[in-house]
Amino acid sequence: GASYSDAQLEQVQVVPNPYYVTHEGVRSSFDGKIYFTRLPRKADIKIFTTTGDLIAEFNHDETTSTDPTTFGAEVWDLMTKNRQRVASQMLIAEIETPDGAKVVRKFTIVVGPARLVAE
């Protein structure tokens, strides 16, 4: 695979940002998803609180995935590594390629009141 420079990684986006958990397309407070888009073929994604606590991490690797929806994107279900739902806060994502190119993205989660929608 081609190597990425820090400048090329500037294309990486976190969407939606800010993310409102009460968005009308969300059926419950556990349906939330954040998308990391325009990713290189391989990258490690680490998500930190503003105090530096690592709350989630995953490895994006298109070369081993058979799921075409992962090409150029990764989905986070808003669950921490301890399987807890994130609270309203600003978070920091660090995206790094195997050859050391790195970009940092800030994004915000806003958790509103719980609203359940009937199927």
Side-chain angles (χ1 to χ4, degrees):
S3 62
Y4 277 73
S5 67
D6 290 348
Q8 288 172 306
L9 280 182
E10 285 299 321
Q11 295 181 43
V12 172
Q13 295 181 343
V14 180
V15 291
N17 185 15
Y19 178 74
Y20 296 96
V21 174
T22 56
H23 181 273
E24 64 185 46
V26 176
R27 293 188 156 294
S28 83
S29 60
F30 293 96
D31 279 351
K33 291 180 178 36
I34 290 281
Y35 298 87
F36 296 88
T37 63
R38 300 181 180 179
L39 292 171
R41 292 186 62 154
K42 289 184 179 186
D44 290 324
I45 301 170
K46 294 180 180 176
I47 301 170
F48 298 92
T49 64
T50 55
T51 58
D53 295 325
L54 177 66
I55 61 167
E57 64 181 316
F58 33 93
N59 183 330
H60 173 77
D61 189 347
E62 292 176 13
T63 62
T64 60
S65 175
T66 58
D67 182 358
T69 63
T70 63
F71 296 160
E74 192 68 45
V75 180
W76 179 42
D77 63 2
L78 304 180
M79 299 295 280
T80 67
K81 62 183 180 177
N82 297 326
R83 302 307 301 159
Q84 295 177 326
R85 188 56 133 187
V86 295
S88 294
Q89 62 188 305
M90 177 186 277
L91 295 170
I92 300 163
E94 179 184 272
I95 297 100
E96 185 172 6
T97 64
D99 57 349
K102 185 186 300 186
V103 70
V104 173
R105 290 285 176 255
K106 296 176 187 173
F107 61 102
T108 304
I109 307 288
V110 180
V111 179
R115 179 177 78 88
L116 299 178
V117 178
E119 300 272 339

